[in-house]
Amino acid sequence: MELKVLYEDNHIIVVVKPAGVLSQGDMTGKPSIFDEVKNYIKEKKNKKTPSNPSGQAGNVFLGLVHRLDKPVSGIMVFAKTSKGASRMSEQFRNHTIQKTYHAIVVGKPKEDQGTLKEKVNKISFFAEGFTNKSDKEILEAVKKATKTRTAELSYEVEKSNEKYSLLKVLPKTGRFHQIRLQMAELKHPILGDITYGGKNPEWKDQNSIALCATGLSFKSATGEKDIDLKIDLPKEWGSYIK
């Protein structure tokens, strides 16, 4: 894939992840944006420069501080140093990073803008050694592993033809599949998202859904400046929302 770099300094690098590409490699061995970024840094460090006359990269550190689902495209930030990883992780953890998404949903919400807030359950770990446990013991283990958390986001309808609507989405929390789940709960699933009821024969790319991380605002790892990054909507969305 052709790597699109939006921003880079000594501590972080921000790129655009294409839809259908893993954030990080898994057992399938399929390409990931993590591997692409790491290769990019290695190649860059291997180039002979006055400050690196030997052109030797040595070990390359790359930290994954957040993820995008495989079918989702958009802006991702990686850490090039342990300091960068710590500072960026802290910003994500404290919700001081502003994430902006755009999505095409099926139909049109009744309200042109609104806030969705609900409780969600998350299994914090998978208990092992269930083989010799009774059903009651297994149930108790699962209850202990389940945490109830709040999922919250705001949305605004930017354009609609009634059949489909383009939404700007600002998540206030970062729960697993949050936007996808909450849009489905609103009865307006994301176009192409077969997992949550957005299956549609008009959506051509089965490896992607109509959800894109279009904006990211944060402090640099050194805290010296504000960084505000934006990308355009995927071109193929134009045929669904005009």
Side-chain angles (χ1 to χ4, degrees):
M1 71 186 77
E2 183 179 347
L3 189 67
K4 183 176 181 180
V5 179
L6 298 178
Y7 174 85
E8 183 178 6
D9 61 26
N10 290 334
H11 297 287
I12 63 171
I13 179 171
V14 187
V15 303
V16 178
K17 185 187 88 67
V21 175
L22 293 165
S23 288
Q24 187 178 31
D26 60 13
M27 292 183 295
T28 65
K30 293 181 179 179
S32 71
I33 192 69
F34 181 92
D35 293 332
E36 290 297 318
V37 174
K38 199 163 190 177
N39 288 336
Y40 164 85
I41 295 173
K42 283 182 179 179
E43 290 177 7
K44 191 173 182 180
K45 287 191 173 184
N46 273 327
K47 290 182 179 178
K48 292 184 178 181
T49 64
S51 60
N52 184 27
S54 64
Q56 296 297 317
N59 292 326
V60 173
F61 175 94
L62 190 65
L64 185 73
V65 294
H66 72 127
R67 289 177 172 83
L68 291 178
D69 297 339
K70 182 180 177 181
V72 178
S73 61
I75 301 173
M76 279 193 71
V77 56
F78 293 88
K80 295 169 61 179
T81 64
S82 57
K83 179 179 181 179
S86 175
R87 296 287 175 83
M88 295 307 299
S89 294
E90 183 179 13
Q91 290 186 61
F92 275 106
R93 188 167 54 250
N94 294 334
H95 307 297
T96 55
I97 288 180
Q98 178 60 65
K99 296 176 284 185
T100 302
Y101 288 78
H102 278 81
I104 297 177
V105 299
V106 178
K108 183 183 179 184
K110 291 181 180 179
E111 305 293 334
D112 284 341
Q113 56 185 3
T115 297
L116 305 180
K117 187 175 182 179
E118 55 198 321
K119 297 293 185 180
V120 294
N121 287 333
K122 178 179 176 61
I123 303 297
S124 59
F125 67 91
F126 185 82
E128 296 180 353
F130 283 170
T131 307
N132 299 318
K133 291 185 177 180
S134 66
D135 290 346
K136 184 178 180 180
E137 288 173 325
I138 291 173
L139 181 60
E140 288 302 313
V142 170
K143 284 181 178 179
K144 289 180 181 178
T146 303
K147 293 183 179 179
T148 301
R149 296 177 175 178
T150 299
E152 184 176 0
L153 60 77
S154 62
Y155 72 88
E156 179 183 350
V157 178
E158 290 193 341
K159 193 183 295 186
S160 179
N161 57 19
E162 301 299 325
K163 186 176 183 180
Y164 303 119
S165 300
L166 175 66
L167 270 57
K168 178 182 179 181
V169 182
L170 302 176
K172 296 183 180 180
T173 53
R175 309 306 179 207
F176 181 70
H177 285 191
Q178 179 180 333
I179 299 174
R180 300 167 64 180
L181 276 164
Q182 291 192 281
M183 289 298 108
E185 286 291 321
L186 193 63
K187 308 302 181 187
H188 296 286
I190 293 170
L191 181 61
D193 193 353
I194 59 176
T195 303
Y196 298 107
K199 184 177 181 180
N200 190 298
E202 292 187 3
W203 184 252
K204 305 303 181 184
D205 187 357
Q206 300 303 309
N207 293 315
S208 71
I209 61 176
L211 179 61
C212 181
T214 54
L216 200 64
S217 298
F218 55 93
K219 287 279 189 183
S220 63
T222 57
E224 295 173 352
K225 63 178 179 178
D226 295 320
I227 300 171
D228 185 21
L229 301 172
K230 294 180 176 66
I231 60 172
D232 294 332
L233 298 177
K235 291 181 180 179
E236 58 270 22
W237 288 15
S239 60
Y240 301 94
I241 291 289
K242 298 180 180 180

